[in-house]
Amino acid sequence: MHTLELGDRSFHLTRATGAELPELVALLADDMLGRERESAALGPYERAFARIDGDENQLLLAVRDDAGTIVATMQLTLIPSLSRGGAIRLQIEAVRVAASTRGSGLGTALFGWAHRWGREQGARLAQLTTDAARTDAHRFYDRLGYVPSHMGYKLPL
């Protein structure tokens, strides 16, 4: 799909495949909150992946280094909206960069790529949610120019 060149390292962005689910789930679980939320049972992930992969408004990325290891992922969703003059929103979710790759600039480059992709799809606004406990992530999003303009609420169903 695309390659991001960061110094002497290359990162290859592709649409995730079902065969990559175990690696993607492991990446999501390798995190202070993910350890509590993610599961070893792949069935629910397989069902979710089928819905994501079959929806033209969704892009689930797998990012591999030159050794072929998945080192990052993010899910991009285009949301048509009546608000903001009928704007399309780019929702960014499930962002993870492997601990071994943090600090390399990949996160910044990946968000830059996602923003360009969103604009190409007609999106006029990028939005995301982040857990209140992720203070490092908050600083990262602030640095990218995101503004914490809204308060989010969740209700388990």
Side-chain angles (χ1 to χ4, degrees):
M1 185 178 215
H2 290 277
T3 299
L4 298 174
E5 303 288 344
L6 299 174
D8 61 348
R9 298 180 76 183
S10 297
F11 297 96
H12 311 282
L13 283 60
T14 60
R15 177 179 289 276
T17 66
E20 295 169 321
L21 277 177
E23 290 176 273
L24 294 170
V25 172
L27 185 59
L28 292 171
D30 185 24
D31 169 86
M32 66 180 193
L33 298 174
R35 281 186 279 282
E36 306 286 323
R37 297 194 290 215
E38 305 307 332
S39 166
L42 284 180
Y45 296 101
E46 290 166 345
R47 289 187 291 280
F49 177 81
R51 291 185 74 172
I52 293 166
D53 198 46
D55 182 343
E56 67 182 15
N57 289 310
Q58 304 274 347
L59 175 59
L60 179 61
L61 289 175
V63 182
R64 293 184 178 277
D65 62 14
D66 282 330
T69 303
I70 292 182
V71 294
T73 188
M74 72 172 19
Q75 181 178 344
L76 305 176
T77 304
L78 299 169
I79 305 171
S81 174
L82 289 179
S83 66
R84 294 182 178 257
I88 295 173
R89 296 168 186 251
L90 172 63
Q91 180 75 26
I92 302 173
E93 289 291 329
V95 178
R96 292 291 190 287
V97 174
S100 63
T101 309
R102 289 186 198 127
S104 68
L106 176 59
T108 300
L110 190 56
F111 267 82
W113 184 90
H115 297 154
R116 286 188 298 279
W117 181 84
R119 283 186 204 100
E120 289 168 6
Q121 309 308 311
R124 296 199 332 236
L125 177 74
Q127 62 187 30
L128 54 82
T129 61
T130 184
D131 194 280
R134 295 185 186 279
T135 55
D136 289 344
H138 302 166
R139 284 190 293 276
F140 173 72
Y141 297 135
D142 288 344
R143 225 178 48 245
L144 293 178
Y146 282 81
V147 177
S149 62
H150 290 69
M151 183 182 299
Y153 288 86
K154 294 185 181 184
L155 175 69
L157 301 178

